[in-house]
């Protein structure tokens, strides 16, 4: 019997697939994993011949020598090689590289075939291996074009940043545009001028003694536009003068639908997981990969729980639709089932290569998997399961009631709605939304306002109180991880497989930071963006980047990939040449005098850039090597003496956070950890909690006894005991709705900040 070598990307996936194949055809298949790419462009050189149709030079990927040797050995023992890598462009390119590598290594005629599947279940695997296919060269070419385009940008623009700002910086075709979006939003906020406007809330009482509130809706048949205190006071006087003349002009009721959303695609999964679960895109995709590859359930077998998670299609297979509709009928009832399966339209640029993200079986209800999934795996699986199921449930039905009360030229309106049929909300309701059905006034969803139910058209409704409120328009909101991904998708920048890596990259490069769950550009990010926009305006912009994405998609449909690269490279090379010629001017444009002399040599001090931000340095470098960390400028003095030399200690900063250092440095190099004053909460540990930073610069709080103690927290501990459970510390928290407050990490009780604790 001939032996077939099956190659997948993940070792875990190889175990699962191996079991399915063994039960199907025993002793026929040997399953191995490539652990991702085995062939790639070289790390330390361009690896692209721009003068000869952008031909790439491929080499073994770093640290893959042992994997390659093992795969070659297995290939020489096989008659057939079945490449079962992922279904996206990256997976196709991995299969292509493996085919080329192993065909040569086999030393005999060997059949190489491609196997594709959308879910890792026994039936899907057997079906896929029963009908192997060939490698799709268009997909391979699309991946090559993207990889080479990104390599050209990274390897040719990044050195310019090194020479003008600091070594270690990088530019990216897509990541730099994402940073630009964050920077431009910050500029919009800084330039924003608030505009005054007024709203009016009237309190009315009907003959049936129903008191209700309504908003001023029209003046002279037009939307009110009141933009000054003077105008507001004039209108108030006029409306109050008509207090006894108001009557109910109209009462309208109608049924309205709220339709469910489509099943998840990659971007919407990342957005909803961020909004509902607080997951970063990177964490979402890591958990989704685990669910896709499979989890060992009660029978001792790995079971794939979701379909492939890199997709832009909202389509569900007929099998999935049938199973979904059967579940709805059995568990929810006929009145929750639409007449026909619901079909959703995808984006125009969607490739529709795979199904939407869905559970492999709707019978695998989240509650049944508690014993086998981690907390976060279960939360994400439940989100996917409920969203896919809800997409095939009937819309939620509301009865909407609108009441217009008028006198003279003024019309006030109050409206609300009551849920009469839950529909899809029974499966996928917003956690903060009210979904209880009912038909009494107290259950109307109306922003907290009472909606009268006994009032009649034409009835008097006297104005008892008028409350004018001054408002000011607000600047556009900073991007969250959710809204940045949504914007990238809307603009056509990036693709499903790249959103998480884009967000992770701009954070790891210190071009942006997250505060209160929103993106802020760092000084470094602003400077890099300014250089790229000023010198590569035609390259690092939204329109050009989106057009390149479309061109890369067209390669997948058969367009010549070298032509796409040539159209990109010609204007890029011209811009690069001009930027190199102006390198001195670019560096001068970002150099700023500090306005003081060097304390060591008397020369001018200037602001310079390092990998982790700006610092002060002497202009006579390298003769004088004086530098000063800007983060040390406004740090408070402390009353701590060095136990080694008796000199005062000072607060200093490093890439890993604040610490205490002797003012006698460099003669005395004594340092101490700077703590929050909170003792480590772990039993049998006498350490204290200090502020620290990860390698990527994110602040966290850890024990001074590390590595012997592994306590860590993202929230800043405060040395105040909880009055409810006597825990010895609280942590600082902040939300948009509550502002700053303290929370007990044990019992979750919340406390207001005292005045002395309020943040700036």
């Amino acid at each position: 019997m001939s032996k077939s070598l099956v190659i997948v990307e993940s070792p875990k996936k190889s175990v699962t697939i191996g079991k399915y194949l063994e039960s199907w055809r025993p002793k026929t298949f040997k399953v191995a994993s490539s652990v991702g790419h085995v062939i790639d462009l070289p790390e330390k050189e361009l690896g692209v011949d721009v003068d000869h149709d952008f031909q790439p030079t491929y080499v073994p990927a770093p640290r893959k020598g042992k994997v390659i040797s093992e795969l070659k050995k297995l290939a020489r023992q096989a008659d057939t090689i079945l490449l079962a890598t992922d279904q996206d462009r990256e997976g196709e390119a991995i299969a292509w590289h493996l085919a080329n590598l192993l065909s040569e290594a086999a030393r005999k005629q060997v059949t190489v075939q491609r196997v594709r599947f959308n879910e890792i279940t026994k039936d899907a695997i057997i079906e896929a291996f029963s009908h192997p296919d060939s490698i799709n060269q268009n997909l391979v070419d699309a991946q090559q074009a993207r990889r080479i385009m990104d390599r050209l940008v990274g390897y040719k623009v990044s050195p310019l940043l090194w020479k003008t700002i600091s070594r270690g910086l990088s530019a990216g075709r897509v990541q730099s545009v994402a940073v630009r979006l964050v920077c431009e939003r910050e500029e919009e906020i800084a330039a924003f001028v608030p505009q005054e406007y007024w709203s009016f809330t009237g309190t009315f009482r009907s003959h049936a003694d129903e008191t209700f509130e309504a908003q001023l809706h029209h003046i002279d048949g037009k939307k009110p536009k009141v933009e000054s205190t003077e105008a507001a006071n004039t209108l108030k006087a006029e409306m109050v003068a008509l207090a006894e003349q108001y009557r109910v002009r109209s009462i309208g009721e109608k049924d309205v639908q709220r339709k469910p959303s489509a099943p998840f695609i990659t971007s919407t999964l990342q957005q909803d997981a961020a909004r509902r679960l607080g997951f970063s895109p990177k964490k979402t995709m890591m958990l989704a990969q685990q669910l896709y590859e499979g989890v060992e359930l009660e029978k001792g077998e790995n079971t794939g729980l979701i379909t492939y998670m890199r997709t832009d299609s909202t389509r569900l297979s007929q099998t999935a639709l049938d199973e979904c509709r059967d579940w709805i009928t059995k568990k929810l009832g006929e009145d929750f089932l639409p007449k026909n399966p619901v079909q959703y339209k995808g984006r125009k640029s969607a490739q529709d290569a795979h199904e939407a993200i869905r559970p492999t079986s709707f019978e695998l209800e989240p509650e049944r998997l508690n014993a086998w999934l981690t907390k976060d795996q279960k939360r994400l699986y439940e989100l996917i399961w409920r969203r896919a199921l809800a997409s095939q449930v009937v819309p939620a039905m509301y009865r909407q009631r609108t009441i217009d009360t008028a006198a003279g030229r003024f019309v006030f309106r109050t409206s609300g709605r009551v849920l009469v049929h839950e529909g899809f909300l029974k499966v996928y309701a917003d956690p903060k939304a009210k979904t209880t059905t009912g038909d009494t006034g107290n259950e109307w969803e109306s922003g907290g306002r009472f909606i009268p139910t006994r009032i009649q058209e034409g009835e008097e409704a006297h104005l008892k109180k008028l409350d004018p409120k001054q408002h000011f328009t607000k600047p556009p909101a900073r991007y969250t991880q959710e809204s940045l991904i949504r914007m990238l998708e809307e603009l056509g920048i990036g693709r499903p497989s790249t959103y998480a890596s884009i967000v992770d990259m701009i954070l790891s490069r210190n071009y942006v930071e997250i505060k209160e769950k929103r993106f802020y550009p760092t000084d470094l990010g602003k400077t890099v963006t300014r250089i790229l926009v000023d010198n590569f305006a035609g390259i690092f912009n939204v329109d050009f980047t989106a057009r390149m994405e479309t061109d890369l998609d067209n390669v997948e449909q058969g367009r010549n990939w070298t032509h796409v690269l040539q159209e990109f490279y010609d204007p890029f090379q011209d811009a690069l040449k001009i930027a190199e010629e102006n390198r001195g001017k670019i560096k001068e444009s970002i150099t700023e005098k500090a306005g003081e002399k060097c304390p060591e040599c008397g020369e001018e001090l200037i602001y310079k850039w390092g990998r982790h931000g700006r610092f002060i340095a002497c202009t006579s470098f390298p003769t004088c090597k004086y530098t000063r960390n800007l983060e040390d400028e406004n740090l408070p003095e402390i009353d701590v003496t060095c136990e080694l030399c008796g000199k005062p200690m000072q607060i200093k900063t490093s890439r890993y956070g604040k610490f205490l250092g002797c003012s006698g440095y460099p003669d005395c190099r004594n340092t101490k950890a700077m703590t929050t004053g909170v003792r480590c909460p772990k039993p049998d540990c006498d350490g204290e909690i200090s502020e620290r930073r990860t390698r990527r610069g994110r602040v966290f709080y850890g024990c001074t006894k590390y590595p012997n103690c592994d306590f860590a927290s993202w929230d800043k501990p405060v040395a105040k005991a909880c009055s409810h459970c006597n825990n010895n510390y609280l942590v600082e928290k902040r939300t948009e709705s509550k502002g700053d407050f303290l929370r007990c990490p044990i019992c979750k009780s919340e406390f207001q900040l005292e005045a002395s604790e309020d943040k700036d």
Side-chain angles (χ1 to χ4, degrees):
M1 183 182 293
S2 63
K3 195 78 170 178
S4 295
L5 171 62
V6 177
I7 303 178
V8 298
E9 293 177 52
S10 160
K12 184 176 180 181
K13 198 189 302 183
S14 69
V15 174
T16 306
I17 292 173
K19 288 181 179 179
Y20 291 152
L21 294 176
E22 182 65 19
S23 66
W24 178 45
R25 291 181 180 173
K27 299 181 181 180
T28 303
F29 302 95
K30 169 66 178 177
V31 185
S33 63
S34 68
V35 198
H37 281 275
V38 293
I39 301 294
D40 201 358
L41 295 173
E43 276 194 319
K44 297 184 179 180
E45 58 184 274
L46 181 62
V48 179
D49 189 345
V50 296
D51 297 321
H52 295 88
D53 289 334
F54 303 95
Q55 287 304 306
T57 299
Y58 287 119
V59 299
R63 297 169 294 280
K64 286 298 180 71
K66 185 175 180 181
V67 172
I68 291 173
S69 296
E70 180 63 24
L71 291 177
K72 285 182 176 180
K73 179 181 176 182
L74 293 173
R76 286 193 285 269
Q77 302 167 5
D79 299 310
T80 302
I81 298 175
L82 298 168
L83 303 170
T85 50
D86 287 348
Q87 288 197 72
D88 55 11
R89 294 172 184 170
E90 292 295 321
E92 205 72 18
I94 293 172
W96 181 66
H97 286 303
L98 286 169
N100 293 334
L101 179 73
L102 301 182
S103 293
E104 297 174 5
R107 298 176 186 168
K108 61 179 180 179
Q109 189 68 30
V110 61
T111 301
V112 179
Q113 294 177 303
R114 181 77 165 97
V115 177
R116 296 182 177 85
F117 45 84
N118 191 46
E119 59 186 71
I120 304 177
T121 58
K122 187 172 183 178
D123 290 345
I125 294 301
I126 292 174
E127 174 64 22
F129 277 84
S130 298
H131 302 92
D133 199 353
S134 58
I135 291 173
N136 185 329
Q137 191 61 41
N138 289 341
L139 278 178
V140 175
D141 290 344
Q143 189 275 343
Q144 280 198 113
R146 175 184 288 277
R147 183 77 177 95
I148 291 170
M149 190 180 292
D150 291 343
R151 171 57 65 99
L152 291 171
V153 173
Y155 272 58
K156 287 185 174 287
V157 178
S158 296
L160 179 69
L161 298 178
W162 302 347
K163 295 167 187 174
T164 54
I165 304 179
S166 172
R167 288 195 66 83
L169 301 179
S170 74
R173 181 181 60 87
V174 177
Q175 76 178 50
S176 297
V177 178
V179 177
R180 180 177 179 176
L181 290 174
V182 176
C183 291
E184 288 179 345
R185 178 59 56 88
E186 199 69 22
E187 291 170 2
E188 290 179 55
I189 293 171
F192 181 79
V193 178
Q195 300 294 316
E196 180 182 4
Y197 70 98
W198 288 74
S199 66
F200 298 84
T201 302
T203 302
F204 298 86
R205 181 174 294 164
S206 71
H207 276 262
D209 205 28
E210 288 182 315
T211 299
F212 62 95
E213 291 183 349
Q215 298 287 323
L216 178 64
H217 194 256
H218 278 94
I219 303 176
D220 294 325
K222 297 178 181 178
K223 289 287 185 182
K225 191 175 182 182
V226 186
E227 298 176 332
S228 69
T229 304
E230 185 180 64
N233 289 334
T234 300
L235 286 170
K236 178 181 179 182
E238 188 178 347
M239 286 184 277
V240 170
L242 298 170
E244 302 299 315
Q245 300 178 33
Y246 286 91
R247 290 180 177 274
V248 178
R249 173 186 285 183
S250 64
I251 299 175
E253 282 197 9
K254 63 179 180 180
D255 290 337
V256 294
Q257 289 185 346
R258 180 181 168 190
K259 295 181 179 180
S261 298
F264 281 131
I265 60 176
T266 304
S267 60
T268 54
L269 174 63
Q270 292 173 4
Q271 291 166 34
D272 242 30
R275 184 172 67 89
R276 292 178 175 236
L277 308 179
F279 291 171
S280 70
K282 182 178 180 181
K283 180 175 181 176
T284 297
M285 296 310 290
M286 177 192 72
L287 292 170
Q289 182 80 35
Q290 294 168 3
L291 296 174
Y292 168 67
E293 291 184 355
V295 174
E296 187 171 320
L297 301 183
E298 52 192 327
K299 295 179 181 178
E301 274 190 4
N302 258 35
T303 302
L305 297 179
I306 65 170
T307 53
Y308 193 53
M309 61 285 165
R310 294 186 181 91
T311 178
D312 57 9
S313 173
T314 57
R315 171 176 51 82
L316 294 179
S317 68
Q318 189 59 52
T319 301
L321 289 171
D322 292 342
E323 185 183 347
C324 181
R325 289 172 63 82
D326 184 58
W327 191 97
I328 293 168
T329 304
K330 289 179 180 177
K331 298 297 180 71
L332 301 181
E334 291 285 351
D335 58 335
F336 284 85
L337 185 70
K339 277 188 177 181
N340 300 304
V342 185
Q343 305 294 334
Y344 293 89
K345 289 184 178 180
R347 294 184 298 115
K348 289 183 179 179
S349 60
Q351 299 300 295
D352 198 38
H354 322 298
E355 278 188 82
I357 305 170
R358 63 165 175 84
T360 55
S361 171
F362 287 97
E363 294 299 322
L364 290 173
E365 298 167 3
E367 296 75 17
R368 291 177 54 192
L369 305 180
N370 284 337
W372 300 285
L373 298 184
T374 66
K375 178 182 176 182
D376 286 343
Q377 284 175 338
K378 192 215 171 191
R379 293 174 73 198
L380 188 66
Y381 176 74
E382 183 170 8
L383 196 71
I384 294 168
W385 186 88
R386 290 187 177 278
R387 175 74 167 242
L389 187 68
S391 73
Q392 297 302 315
V393 179
V394 297
M397 294 295 297
Y398 292 87
R399 182 167 298 118
Q400 184 170 292
R401 183 178 178 87
T402 302
I403 303 172
D404 282 354
T405 306
R409 62 196 188 108
F410 304 104
V411 178
F412 285 80
R413 175 171 291 180
T414 187
S415 63
R417 64 182 188 178
V418 65
L419 185 64
V420 295
H421 188 280
E422 286 179 280
F424 79 94
L425 294 176
K426 193 172 185 68
V427 177
Y428 196 74
D430 191 305
K432 298 179 181 179
K434 178 182 177 182
T435 57
T436 304
T437 57
D439 55 9
T440 67
N442 291 334
E443 292 174 342
W444 290 89
E445 296 178 24
S446 55
R449 297 187 308 277
F450 173 75
I451 303 298
T453 56
R454 299 197 301 271
I455 201 167
Q456 302 293 319
E457 283 189 12
E459 183 179 322
E460 292 180 354
H462 295 162
L463 178 64
K464 296 302 180 182
K465 180 183 175 184
L466 185 64
D467 183 17
K469 285 188 178 179
Q470 184 187 44
H471 308 272
F472 291 92
T473 54
K474 295 182 179 181
R478 291 180 175 88
Y479 290 109
T480 61
Q481 296 190 74
E482 171 196 356
S483 62
L484 182 59
I485 289 173
R486 188 188 311 119
M487 180 59 72
L488 292 172
E489 183 181 30
E490 288 176 1
L491 295 173
I493 298 171
R495 285 298 181 260
S497 61
T498 64
Y499 296 130
S501 61
I502 291 169
V503 171
D504 187 54
M505 179 64 73
I506 63 178
L507 281 167
S508 66
R509 294 294 183 183
N510 198 32
Y511 294 154
V512 300
E513 58 186 343
I514 294 180
K515 299 177 185 176
E516 301 159 17
K517 298 184 179 181
R518 296 192 177 274
F519 283 110
Y520 288 74
T522 62
D523 286 341
L524 180 60
K526 292 176 184 177
T527 302
V528 168
T529 298
R530 194 174 82 213
I531 289 175
L532 296 180
V533 172
D534 288 349
N535 295 277
F536 300 92
I539 304 296
F540 295 103
N541 70 54
V542 168
D543 292 340
F544 181 83
T545 306
R547 190 169 72 249
M548 285 297 100
E549 293 288 0
T550 301
D551 287 343
L552 290 170
D553 290 343
N554 291 338
V555 172
E556 192 170 318
Q557 304 304 314
R559 188 180 175 193
N560 187 290
W561 66 278
T562 61
H563 291 173
V564 170
L565 286 174
Q566 195 67 58
E567 289 176 5
F568 157 78
Y569 189 70
D570 289 342
F572 172 70
Q573 183 68 4
D574 292 341
L576 186 65
K577 183 178 179 182
I578 295 172
E580 287 287 354
E581 292 172 353
N582 294 332
R583 197 174 70 210
K585 293 180 181 178
I586 297 171
K587 191 166 187 175
E588 185 178 338
S589 71
I590 63 171
T591 301
E592 182 183 347
K593 291 183 179 180
E596 56 181 298
K597 302 291 184 180
C598 176
E600 294 186 2
C601 72
E603 294 295 324
E604 286 280 344
L605 292 178
I606 58 172
Y607 293 102
K608 294 188 71 174
W609 283 97
R611 185 174 181 181
H612 301 286
R614 293 206 304 171
F615 63 96
I616 290 176
C618 183
T619 51
S620 64
F621 178 85
T623 305
C624 176
K625 297 185 178 180
Y626 175 82
T627 61
R628 189 167 77 239
N629 193 330
L630 280 175
E631 289 191 25
D632 294 338
E633 295 290 281
N634 299 312
L635 295 176
E637 295 184 1
I638 54 168
D639 187 20
V640 178
T641 301
C642 176
E643 66 270 24
L644 297 185
C645 70
K647 291 185 178 180
M649 299 288 278
Q650 297 175 329
I651 300 176
K652 296 182 177 291
T653 57
S654 73
R655 62 179 294 188
Y656 296 111
K658 295 182 178 66
F659 65 97
L660 298 183
C662 182
S663 59
Y665 179 87
D667 297 325
C668 178
R669 298 175 179 266
N670 186 28
T671 62
K672 288 183 176 180
M674 184 174 177
T675 74
T676 60
V678 177
R679 291 185 62 84
C680 179
K682 286 214 164 188
D684 303 322
C685 179
D686 60 354
E688 293 190 352
I689 306 305
S690 65
E691 178 183 307
R692 304 176 67 185
R693 289 185 187 174
T694 66
R695 291 181 179 178
R696 293 183 174 178
R698 186 177 177 186
V699 173
F700 73 101
Y701 299 88
C703 183
T704 53
K705 296 295 184 179
Y706 177 84
N708 295 325
C709 177
D710 62 357
F711 173 82
S713 169
W714 293 117
D715 301 313
K716 181 179 180 179
V718 176
K720 292 188 67 174
C722 175
S723 58
H724 293 164
C725 70
N726 295 322
N727 182 43
N728 70 333
Y729 76 102
L730 305 176
V731 295
E732 291 183 357
K733 301 291 288 186
R734 178 178 176 82
T735 65
E736 289 188 19
S737 59
K738 299 178 184 178
D740 297 309
F741 61 96
L742 299 176
R743 176 184 289 166
C744 176
I746 304 300
C747 69
K748 310 302 180 185
S749 298
E750 295 180 356
F751 306 89
Q752 289 186 340
L753 285 170
E754 297 176 1
S756 60
E757 299 169 330
D758 284 346
K759 298 179 179 179
D760 295 334

